[in-house]
């Protein structure tokens, strides 16, 4: 595949990429993309485990009983017509920015067009922490002060299951309804996207350093787990759904439809690789530096990282296994009691207009969930438009798999087993 052409990027973005390539702990400033991908890693990994103490048990421990599903119908009077504003909470550095970092061009354009002012807050550092911020109000049926939030699919599933988010009005989402990529249309936790729309997709692939592998291409999870030449130089991810999901795929199992026995077999396979020291460690975002330097010869990694790593290090390669790869999403939802539901829906729909989606995709380098965005993206960066890690082609989309939604008891049991594996 082709790398991004740095000459087509803004000066600030090029500098951010350059600085970020130094990697965590190197003393260099963290790049803009690195800040965004760090949550896909260290913080996301924390999220998987911490909220699992989650499930209904953790809610009870926090003094909040497990919520009954209200069907997402709890709302309040919509003040959108009189109050031309919307409060949007998102992850750190997960949107386009001007070179001086004082403006969000796409949000400015939305305000100019609609007269709706966006209060944009980067107050999501990880799913668990953010859940802790909003759950007291949601459980009490109160306004969180936010009209739109962006959370990872497993937390989105939980909020929907608890009945803590509002059902979307399709009449306010013509672009979103029409332009949503087929790949993301029907997750099992939100069939037909009644409550959510994806902000971006995150792909988990095999990554390797061709110099560290001695010129050999790494094309399967089996090689990661069993190849003697890679012993002690393999990394898996500390996110359960990615590492177990990729292992299930390699075993010929479907991560969207597996049994407890399948899960245990995948854990046992990973445990064997840990015990014989084939796997060096389970990583968060810090695999980026190790892979670039060759300390890790091969690992599982996230596409957003790999797009940017290849800018400065042509030795870094990626491969989509024949068995498939894991995809997750960050998703836009409207909490119960939000004051400006219609305004929030208009903002969601705005980001599904292809020119706007292209602007966002070119900046954040994650999978764009908007079908037909290539032409608009090519106006900004032709190579990005041809990059299957940003705009999946038919083969890439066909190989995509999502981890099935878990019930609370399942999630607790699975995360406990995975924690025993990674902590050991």
């Amino acid at each position: 595949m082709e790398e991004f052409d740095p000459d087509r990027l803004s000066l600030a973005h090029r500098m951010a990429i350059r600085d970020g390539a130094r990697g965590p702990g190197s003393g260099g400033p963290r790049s803009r993309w690195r800040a965004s991908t760090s949550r896909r890693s260290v913080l996301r990994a924390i999220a998987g485990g911490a909220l699992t103490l989650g499930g209904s048990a953790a809610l009870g421990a926090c003094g909040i009983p497990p919520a009954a599903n209200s069907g997402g119908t709890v709302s309040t009077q919509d003040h959108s017509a009189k109050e031309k504003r919307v409060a949007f909470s998102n992850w750190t550095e997960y949107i386009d920015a001007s070179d001086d970092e004082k403006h969000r061009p796409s949000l400015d354009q939305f305000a100019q067009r609609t007269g709706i002012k966006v209060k944009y807050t980067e107050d999501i550092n990880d799913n668990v922490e953010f859940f802790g911020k909003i759950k007291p109000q949601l459980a009490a049926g109160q306004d969180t002060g936010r009209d739109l939030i962006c959370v990872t699919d497993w937390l989105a599933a939980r909020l929907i299951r608890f009945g803590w988010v509002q059902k979307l009005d399709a009449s306010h989402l013509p672009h979103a309804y029409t332009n949503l990529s087929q790949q993301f249309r029907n997750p099992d936790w939100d069939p037909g996207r009644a409550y959510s729309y994806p902000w971006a997709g995150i792909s988990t692939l095999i990554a390797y350093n061709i110099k560290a592998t001695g010129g050999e291409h790494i094309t399967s999870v089996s090689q990661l787990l069993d190849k003697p030449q890679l012993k002690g130089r393999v990394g898996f991810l500390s996110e359960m759904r990615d590492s177990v999901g990729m292992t299930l795929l390699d075993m010929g199992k479907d991560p969207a439809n597996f049994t407890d026995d399948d899960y245990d077999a995948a854990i046992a396979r990973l445990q064997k690789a840990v015990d014989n020291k084939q796997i060096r460690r389970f990583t968060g975002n810090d695999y980026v530096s190790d892979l670039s330097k060759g300390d890790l010869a091969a690992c599982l990694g996230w596409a957003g990282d790999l797009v940017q790593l290849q800018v400065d290090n042509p030795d870094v390669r990626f491969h989509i296994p024949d068995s498939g790869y894991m995809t997750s999403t960050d998703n836009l939802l409207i909490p119960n009691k939000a004051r400006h539901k219609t305004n929030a829906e208009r903002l969601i729909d705005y980001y599904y207009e292809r020119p706007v989606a292209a602007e966002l995709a070119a900046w954040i380098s994650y999978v764009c969930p908007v079908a037909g965005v290539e032409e608009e993206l090519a106006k900004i960066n032709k190579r990005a438009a041809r990059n299957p890690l940003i705009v999946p082609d038919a083969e890439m989309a066909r190989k995509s798999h999502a981890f099935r939604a878990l019930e609370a008891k399942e999630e607790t049991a699975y995360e406990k087993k995975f924690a025993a594996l990674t902590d050991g």
Side-chain angles (χ1 to χ4, degrees), residues 176-241:
Y177 181 82
T178 301
N179 295 338
L180 176 61
S181 172
Q182 189 65 39
Q183 180 180 352
F184 301 109
R185 279 191 176 269
N186 201 38
D188 62 354
W189 49 270
D190 186 16
R193 290 289 180 180
Y195 297 92
S196 70
Y197 270 90
W199 177 254
I202 304 98
S203 302
T204 303
L205 311 171
I206 291 175
Y208 59 98
N209 185 313
I210 194 69
K211 185 179 291 185
T213 64
E216 185 170 0
H217 297 273
I218 307 303
T219 61
S220 71
V221 171
S222 291
Q223 287 177 289
L224 294 179
L225 293 174
D226 302 324
K227 194 171 183 60
Q229 293 86 341
L230 298 178
K231 186 173 182 177
R233 298 187 297 151
V234 171
F236 270 66
L237 293 167
S238 51
E239 165 57 37
M240 179 271 285
R241 288 163 178 80

Side-chain angles (χ1 to χ4, degrees), residues 13 16-26 28-43 92-94 284-290 292 302-310 312 363-366:
H13 199 179
I17 292 171
R18 178 202 67 198
D19 292 338
R22 300 175 188 173
S26 65
R30 297 173 72 83
S31 75
R32 188 174 296 159
W33 70 268
R34 178 67 54 240
S36 68
T37 56
S38 65
R39 62 183 181 74
R40 285 265 60 82
S41 49
V42 177
L43 296 172
T92 304
E93 309 289 357
Y94 207 22
N285 173 247
D286 45 342
Y287 78 85
V288 169
S289 177
D290 288 347
S292 186
W302 290 301
D305 290 340
L306 303 179
V307 167
Q308 300 293 354
L309 269 180
Q310 289 184 324
D312 287 319
W363 216 92
I364 66 174
S365 301
Y366 282 102

Side-chain angles (χ1 to χ4, degrees), residues 22 38 50 61 65 71 112 142 168-170 253 261 268 275-276 280 306 317 372-373 385 394:
R22 300 175 188 173
S38 65
Q112 291 170 7
Q142 299 171 352
L168 301 172
D169 186 338
K253 304 297 182 179
D261 287 343
D275 292 343
N276 65 22
R280 180 172 180 170
L306 303 179
R317 309 290 175 86
V373 75

Side-chain angles (χ1 to χ4, degrees), residues 174-412:
H175 296 97
Y177 181 82
T178 301
N179 295 338
L180 176 61
S181 172
Q182 189 65 39
Q183 180 180 352
F184 301 109
R185 279 191 176 269
N186 201 38
D188 62 354
W189 49 270
D190 186 16
R193 290 289 180 180
Y195 297 92
S196 70
Y197 270 90
W199 177 254
I202 304 98
S203 302
T204 303
L205 311 171
I206 291 175
Y208 59 98
N209 185 313
I210 194 69
K211 185 179 291 185
T213 64
E216 185 170 0
H217 297 273
I218 307 303
T219 61
S220 71
V221 171
S222 291
Q223 287 177 289
L224 294 179
L225 293 174
D226 302 324
K227 194 171 183 60
Q229 293 86 341
L230 298 178
K231 186 173 182 177
R233 298 187 297 151
V234 171
F236 270 66
L237 293 167
S238 51
E239 165 57 37
M240 179 271 285
R241 288 163 178 80
D242 290 331
S243 286
V244 174
M246 290 292 282
T247 304
L248 285 168
L249 285 170
D250 191 69
M251 295 166 58
K253 304 297 182 179
D254 183 359
N257 183 24
F258 63 89
T259 66
D260 288 346
D261 287 343
D262 294 333
Y263 184 88
D264 288 344
I267 289 291
R269 193 172 180 207
L270 289 168
Q271 185 68 61
K272 180 180 178 181
V274 170
D275 292 343
N276 65 22
K277 302 190 184 306
Q278 178 77 7
I279 295 177
R280 180 172 180 170
R281 62 195 183 96
F282 289 82
T283 71
N285 173 247
D286 45 342
Y287 78 85
V288 169
S289 177
D290 288 347
L291 178 65
S292 186
K293 291 185 296 185
D295 292 344
L296 285 177
C299 63
L300 297 183
W302 290 301
D305 290 340
L306 303 179
V307 167
Q308 300 293 354
L309 269 180
Q310 289 184 324
V311 172
D312 287 319
N313 190 343
D315 292 331
V316 173
R317 309 290 175 86
F318 78 91
H319 186 79
I320 305 164
D322 290 340
S323 58
Y325 68 98
M326 296 302 297
T327 295
S328 56
T329 52
D330 285 329
N331 307 273
L332 301 172
L333 303 99
I334 300 175
N336 285 348
K337 296 294 184 178
R339 286 179 62 87
H340 310 105
K341 181 175 184 284
T342 299
N343 291 345
E345 289 167 337
R346 292 184 67 181
L347 185 59
I348 294 172
D349 195 61
Y350 168 74
Y351 277 101
Y352 274 80
E353 295 180 19
R354 293 189 177 105
V356 182
E359 182 178 355
L360 179 65
W363 216 92
I364 66 174
S365 301
Y366 282 102
V367 176
C368 180
V370 178
V373 75
E374 296 92 326
E375 182 178 349
E376 293 296 335
L377 186 53
K379 296 176 184 178
I380 303 170
N381 188 314
K382 291 182 179 179
R383 292 186 178 183
R386 297 195 299 268
N387 190 330
L389 298 186
I390 298 176
V391 184
D393 55 22
E395 180 182 6
M396 184 101 176
R398 179 178 58 81
K399 291 184 175 182
S400 171
H401 296 267
F403 205 91
R404 68 174 172 82
L406 300 177
E407 296 297 328
K409 289 183 179 179
E410 261 187 331
E411 187 174 43
T412 299

